[in-house]
Amino acid sequence: MAPSTKTVLIPIAHGTEPLEAVAMITTLRRGGADVTVASVETQVGVDACHGIKMVADTLLSDITDSIFDLIVLPGGLPGGETLKNCKPLENMVKKQDTDGRLNAAICCAPALALGTWGLLQGKKATGYPVFMEKLASTCATAVESRVQIDGRIVTSRGPGTTIEFSITLVEQLCGKEKADEVSSILLVRPNPGEEYTFTELNKTEWLFEDTPQILVPIAEDSEETEAIALVDILRRAKANVVIAAIGNSLEVVGSCEAKLVADVLLDEVAEKSFDLIVLPGGNGAQRFASCEKLVNMLNKQAEANKPYGGICKSPVYVFEHNGLLKDKKATTHPRVSNELSDQSHIDHRVVVDGNVITSRAPGTAMEFSLAIVEKFYGREKALQLAKATLV
């Protein structure tokens, strides 16, 4: 580790909000920080919200004497309560404050943890809307900013503000130039908080019986925020989402070395029918493209005129290279967009063309996921979810 490398601690627990945790881990690592994910439980594996499993790098109990440039707390329930009740973590965060180093928290954690521990007295802070009254009761000045900085404490509101929050933390640690660089790679929303939109051509009704059955494959080097955003948002919408790993292990390491855990191996569901197959990106897209079973499933999906989608590099490496974008408009990550045969829509953040949906990067993943919700359930439900997640 270079002497100037900034160190970050992200504690997680059963019931942590996975999208917040994963977006923080990956964005800060992209910014060059050395991020340690520590479980406050008695094992490194935790059951996060929405049936998503996470694996920490270590146990918090093994690193309580370590010093970090930043400690940042994700939200989610009951995870936020567990963090609040973790005395070793409280002691670390209080020492961090006393020593003048950065602390940060999002969602319920500003009120439940930082506020309860007495660190927000007289400071401006924000949090998830239903915790604003609790926040004010801790003697903080509760504000509705998407991200709030007051001295050495940074707070934010929820899943939909996490990338903005994380970019702010990169700037605090590593400077504006590095933050701008990461922001441009992620394609952060230019208008956060405004109603999401997407481009649609050849409008087609997406059909399902009872509950949408959705397959989200993951592989080594898949982009973690894109994968978790899809699963998190679609499970909130009450779709039945199956995470399937390419290869022989349920646990895979993503492109920013976050550890993802699948529900099943792809081999176990290769003969099943899904209402939608949707792929995250990252360099895992190349592994998808070389997986014959997955490509066969996608070809069958296309032949049956059933929806399929991809984000980031997947539209190019998987769809374009296998003829799955014939006569379709699509978008993809800027770094590979020159490989699309039809580049007319490459600047659009989300494109739906009939039964095919494509998108660009981690910063467009929430809009991508909400567009899928809208196609299955209608705009009203998607907007309710957008409001609940603060997109």
Side-chain angles (χ1 to χ4, degrees):
M1 186 170 66
S4 60
T5 299
K6 301 298 184 180
T7 56
V8 179
L9 171 64
I10 300 178
I12 60 173
H14 296 317
T16 285
E17 173 32 69
L19 180 49
E20 292 169 357
V22 167
M24 294 189 306
I25 294 163
T26 57
T27 304
L28 285 159
R29 284 180 176 163
R30 287 177 188 274
D34 178 36
V35 179
T36 298
V37 184
S39 167
V40 303
E41 308 290 351
T42 56
Q43 68 281 334
V44 292
V46 305
D47 294 321
C49 298
H50 316 300
I52 294 169
K53 297 181 185 299
M54 297 183 65
V55 181
D57 304 315
T58 186
L59 299 178
L60 187 80
S61 57
D62 291 339
I63 58 166
T64 51
D65 293 330
S66 300
I67 294 174
F68 296 91
D69 294 297
L70 164 68
I71 298 176
V72 53
L73 312 182
L77 289 172
E81 286 280 358
T82 303
L83 297 186
K84 177 196 78 172
N85 294 327
C86 178
K87 198 67 182 177
L89 178 62
E90 178 182 349
N91 291 338
M92 291 176 77
V93 169
K94 284 182 172 177
K95 187 177 190 306
Q96 189 88 350
D97 188 65
T98 301
D99 293 348
R101 294 190 298 273
L102 277 169
N103 282 309
I106 190 168
C107 193
C108 63
L112 291 183
L114 299 186
T116 300
W117 297 338
L119 299 182
L120 297 181
Q121 192 163 357
K123 291 191 176 292
K124 288 183 179 179
T126 191
Y128 195 71
V130 298
F131 286 91
M132 294 298 275
E133 192 173 320
K134 168 75 172 170
L135 193 61
S137 74
T138 67
C139 299
T141 301
V143 296
E144 294 187 0
S145 314
R146 290 175 68 81
V147 180
Q148 181 64 45
I149 306 170
D150 193 333
R152 305 299 288 167
I153 291 179
V154 185
T155 51
S156 190
R157 308 210 77 187
T161 69
T162 309
I163 289 184
E164 299 154 64
F165 174 57
S166 303
I167 292 288
T168 300
L169 297 176
V170 171
E171 182 171 349
Q172 292 287 304
L173 289 172
C174 307
K176 190 173 189 307
E177 185 177 348
K178 175 57 74 173
D180 288 346
E181 176 190 321
V182 174
S183 182
S184 67
I185 292 168
L186 298 181
L187 298 181
V188 175
R189 287 187 80 191
N191 55 344
E194 291 186 16
E195 194 170 298
Y196 82 94
T197 59
F198 62 94
T199 301
E200 183 163 24
L201 307 103
N202 301 309
K203 191 168 183 176
T204 304
E205 188 178 0
W206 289 13
L207 303 173
F208 63 93
E209 291 183 12
D210 300 324
T211 302
Q213 305 296 313
I214 299 175
L215 178 68
V216 178
I218 58 172
E220 293 289 317
D221 296 322
S222 283
E223 211 300 318
E224 303 96 327
T225 300
E226 294 166 357
I228 296 303
L230 282 163
V231 178
D232 189 304
I233 294 296
L234 292 170
R235 284 184 175 164
R236 285 173 185 262
K238 306 304 182 189
N240 181 35
V241 181
V242 176
I243 310 170
I246 306 293
N248 300 316
S249 173
L250 291 178
E251 185 178 315
V252 305
V253 179
S255 59
C256 292
E257 298 186 7
K259 295 164 186 169
L260 305 177
V261 183
D263 304 315
V264 296
L265 299 178
L266 185 76
D267 288 354
E268 298 173 52
V269 295
E271 301 304 319
K272 291 191 175 181
S273 174
F274 292 92
D275 298 305
L276 169 69
I277 301 173
V278 58
L279 313 183
N283 289 330
Q286 292 166 303
R287 297 181 190 272
F288 293 154
S290 62
C291 176
E292 187 177 346
K293 282 184 179 175
L294 178 59
V295 173
N296 286 342
M297 291 176 78
L298 287 162
N299 280 324
K300 288 178 183 175
Q301 197 82 356
E303 289 164 9
N305 290 318
K306 296 176 74 174
Y308 55 95
I311 187 170
C312 192
K313 295 178 180 178
S314 284
V316 165
Y317 290 145
V318 187
F319 298 166
E320 178 72 30
H321 293 175
N322 285 287
L324 289 162
L325 290 180
K326 187 180 179 183
D327 300 323
K328 297 290 184 183
K329 306 296 184 183
T331 189
T332 189
H333 196 278
R335 287 182 175 173
V336 294
S337 59
N338 63 333
E339 295 186 48
L340 282 180
S341 55
D342 182 340
Q343 297 178 22
S344 60
H345 284 66
I346 58 172
D347 291 331
H348 295 240
R349 293 176 66 83
V350 181
V351 176
V352 180
D353 189 344
N355 284 320
V356 179
I357 182 167
T358 53
S359 190
R360 308 197 73 193
T364 70
M366 294 284 276
E367 299 148 80
F368 180 54
S369 304
L370 288 167
I372 292 169
V373 172
E374 180 169 338
K375 287 301 298 178
F376 280 123
Y377 293 102
R379 188 157 184 86
E380 184 178 352
K381 179 154 186 175
L383 288 175
Q384 288 171 356
L385 264 178
K387 182 179 180 182
T389 52
L390 296 152
V391 172

